[in-house]
Amino acid sequence: MTTTPDLATLTGEYTIDPAHTTIGFTARHAMVTNVKGKFLDFSGTLHLDGADPSRSTASLDVTMDSIDTGSPDRDGHLKSSDFFKTDEFPKMTFRSTRAESLGGDDYRITGDLTILGTTKPLTIDLEFNGAAKDPFGNERVGFEGRADIKRSEWGLTWNAALETGGVLVSDKIKLNFDISAIKQG
């Protein structure tokens, strides 16, 4: 049962629960369809300050070799030197630098996203989905978020031209976050 407690009671340290969290993305392919993928191996922490959301923080580490688009050949190409160079750059990281309440259940977190050793700012709009105590006694919070990036800004520039015009892989990538986190202590 989801409840909406006084936000001040949510203050504390949380660990992202990978079994109930999805870190995903969508890319336009061949100018006609969307390909969706996700990362299977990641870890992260949240510090929530319910009384002053601007003092909240987030940290996320993603293992790039864990990419899964449902196609082993495509996943292999994404891990290669054409894209993520996972042998040289095994992690993608996000470290928040600012958090703000937008009113209601809407929040915005800004931070530094590092891919291929390049760090650029990223802003993620989040919706607070609620808080609940699960059947095992864990206090959980849930957030759903999204952000758009241009992959070329992180050095992800591989592409192929199409005979009909356009390119094989869009520069714009939609990032999707469905986060469940468990309060520690």
Side-chain angles (χ1 to χ4, degrees):
M1 179 174 105
T2 299
T3 61
T4 306
D6 173 19
L7 286 179
T9 65
L10 299 179
T11 296
E13 304 301 320
Y14 292 79
T15 300
I16 293 175
D17 175 7
H20 298 98
T21 296
T22 302
I23 308 297
F25 60 89
T26 304
R28 176 83 59 188
H29 181 262
M31 309 294 290
V32 297
T33 191
N34 289 320
V35 170
K36 294 181 179 184
K38 61 186 174 182
F39 295 95
L40 302 176
D41 184 9
F42 53 86
S43 62
T45 58
L46 307 174
H47 167 75
L48 299 183
D49 189 324
D52 183 359
S54 71
R55 294 177 33 183
S56 297
T57 60
S59 176
L60 181 66
D61 294 302
V62 176
T63 302
M64 298 307 285
D65 256 346
S66 73
I67 196 165
D68 179 14
T69 64
S71 167
D73 288 343
R74 180 174 42 232
D75 295 346
H77 190 206
L78 289 169
K79 295 174 189 180
S80 78
S81 62
D82 284 344
F83 286 95
F84 292 120
K85 304 176 187 173
T86 60
D87 289 342
E88 186 179 351
F89 300 99
K91 297 280 185 192
M92 172 175 63
T93 62
F94 177 80
R95 302 290 182 264
S96 68
T97 56
R98 181 173 183 216
E100 59 188 307
S101 172
L102 302 177
D105 289 334
D106 296 325
Y107 297 87
R108 179 171 290 147
I109 191 155
T110 301
D112 294 324
L113 177 65
T114 302
I115 304 172
L116 294 175
T118 298
T119 302
K120 299 272 186 187
L122 175 69
T123 299
I124 305 167
D125 288 331
L126 295 165
E127 180 179 354
F128 175 61
N129 286 342
K133 185 174 274 196
D134 69 22
F136 308 102
N138 297 309
E139 292 182 48
R140 292 181 175 270
V141 292
F143 292 91
E144 185 175 351
R146 104 167 249 194
D148 293 339
I149 65 169
K150 289 186 176 186
R151 64 187 180 92
S152 60
E153 292 180 359
W154 280 267
L156 294 163
T157 57
W158 182 92
N159 227 325
L162 300 175
E163 286 182 26
T164 55
V167 292
L168 187 63
V169 183
S170 63
D171 191 29
K172 179 181 174 182
I173 306 295
K174 298 175 184 176
L175 303 176
N176 303 298
F177 307 89
D178 288 305
I179 298 168
S180 177
I182 299 171
K183 193 171 192 177
Q184 301 303 299

